[in-house]
Amino acid sequence: ERFPEVRVLELERNVGFGTAANAGVDAVDSEFVLVLNPDARPLGDGLSSLQACAEANPRAAIAVPALVDEAGEPQPSRIGYPTWRWTGSPAVTSFPGRRLENGDQGFAVGAALLFRREAFRSVGGFDPDYFLFYEEVDLCLRLEQAGWGIVSCPAATFRHAGGASTRRDWAESYRRQLAGHLLFIRKHHGAAAAERSRRVLVVAVALRALLARGEVRRAAWKALPW
């Protein structure tokens, strides 16, 4: 009501982050489209700087801003692709080798991503099999496999609080994180690698259920039977 120039798409049910984003991308015809988490926002001229960076890199499918938390401390915006060795730690940066010294490698953290719409649509957008978590990991890999690039744009800064979509029911969100990981490994590395990953997670999540405390422990107990 306050912004009549804005079009709001109201979906009939919660179809998941990636599928909902696909509907938004399909509804516009601009060259670029920003996919933004509900707990992220640009600082200063962050959005215009991000678009300028994308325009200067015509083979980039995604322009990635620098991310900071609510206190202004830097957050990783590029992380190495996950492997079957992940032990189920809830943090997005927890996989072995995922924190990279080179900020121009790996997948782009999905808090704030400016997509070249042509590239996004050329690979089919987000895979609807991912409900929450890993949809951006999968899409980044498919875009790179299709010959597109991902460019880091440190001059553009976005603030990202973190956890807005998962805080209400972290136990269920954690289960979806585990599911997204196994789906990603199976899709890109095969069933045998996914089974190795599942066995690692059974042991790791069981230990977390026994040894952790608070919400992490409750989430692990809920996820373990699944």
Side-chain angles (χ1 to χ4, degrees), residues 13-21 126-136 165 172-173 175-177 179-180 183:
R13 60 186 178 87
N14 185 359
V15 294
F17 182 86
T19 303
F126 290 113
D127 183 341
D129 287 343
Y130 297 90
F131 186 86
L132 182 67
F133 294 111
Y134 279 82
E135 64 282 330
E136 85 273 37
S165 298
E172 176 60 18
S173 297
R175 187 191 68 79
R176 291 189 181 277
Q177 186 180 17
L183 175 60

Side-chain angles (χ1 to χ4, degrees), residues 111-135:
L113 300 175
L114 186 69
F115 287 96
R116 192 175 303 274
R117 188 167 172 270
E118 171 195 359
F120 184 93
R121 299 198 68 182
S122 72
V123 297
F126 290 113
D127 183 341
D129 287 343
Y130 297 90
F131 186 86
L132 182 67
F133 294 111
Y134 279 82
E135 64 282 330

Side-chain angles (χ1 to χ4, degrees), residues 72-86:
E73 293 297 318
Q75 294 179 341
S77 58
R78 299 285 297 276
I79 300 175
Y81 287 101
T83 72
W84 64 267
R85 296 179 178 87
W86 180 50

Side-chain angles (χ1 to χ4, degrees), residues 2 6 12-13 26 31 48 50 59-60 66 73-74 101-102 111 113 125 138-139 148 153 156 158 160 162 168 203 220:
R2 291 177 57 201
V6 174
E12 293 182 356
R13 60 186 178 87
D26 288 342
E31 181 180 4
S48 58
L50 193 61
R59 286 303 301 170
E73 293 297 318
E101 295 299 325
N102 185 347
L113 300 175
D138 171 75
L139 180 55
W148 291 96
C153 305
F158 280 60
H160 176 226
R168 183 174 301 176
V203 175

Side-chain angles (χ1 to χ4, degrees), residues 151-168:
V151 61
S152 296
C153 305
T157 303
F158 280 60
R159 180 166 290 161
H160 176 226
S165 298
T166 61
R167 198 174 293 119
R168 183 174 301 176

Side-chain angles (χ1 to χ4, degrees), residues 16-214:
F17 182 86
T19 303
N22 287 344
V25 175
D26 288 342
V28 300
D29 58 6
S30 57
E31 181 180 4
F32 300 104
V33 58
L34 180 71
V35 176
L36 190 68
N37 276 12
D39 58 356
R41 62 186 185 276
L43 297 181
D45 61 354
L47 184 55
S48 58
S49 296
L50 193 61
Q51 181 174 340
C53 180
E55 291 171 343
N57 293 272
R59 286 303 301 170
I62 310 175
V64 188
L67 298 176
V68 298
D69 63 18
E70 290 291 279
E73 293 297 318
Q75 294 179 341
S77 58
R78 299 285 297 276
I79 300 175
Y81 287 101
T83 72
W84 64 267
R85 296 179 178 87
W86 180 50
T87 58
S89 177
V92 71
T93 56
S94 64
F95 302 119
R98 290 188 69 186
R99 279 186 178 271
L100 300 176
E101 295 299 325
N102 185 347
D104 294 322
Q105 296 178 354
F107 76 87
V109 175
L113 300 175
L114 186 69
F115 287 96
R116 192 175 303 274
R117 188 167 172 270
E118 171 195 359
F120 184 93
R121 299 198 68 182
S122 72
V123 297
F126 290 113
D127 183 341
D129 287 343
Y130 297 90
F131 186 86
L132 182 67
F133 294 111
Y134 279 82
E135 64 282 330
E136 85 273 37
V137 187
D138 171 75
L139 180 55
C140 286
L141 184 56
R142 287 188 287 118
L143 284 166
E144 290 190 316
Q145 290 172 339
W148 291 96
I150 302 172
V151 61
S152 296
C153 305
T157 303
F158 280 60
R159 180 166 290 161
H160 176 226
S165 298
T166 61
R167 198 174 293 119
R168 183 174 301 176
D169 187 354
W170 167 241
E172 176 60 18
S173 297
Y174 181 57
R175 187 191 68 79
R176 291 189 181 277
Q177 186 180 17
L178 297 172
H181 176 77
L182 291 174
L183 175 60
F184 177 85
I185 297 300
R186 185 182 68 187
K187 180 177 178 178
H188 294 286
H189 299 283
E195 175 59 16
R196 288 196 299 271
S197 182
R198 187 192 68 82
R199 292 181 182 184
V200 168
L201 288 172
V202 165
V203 175
V205 174
L207 289 173
R208 191 164 286 109
L210 291 171
L211 301 176
R213 294 289 183 270

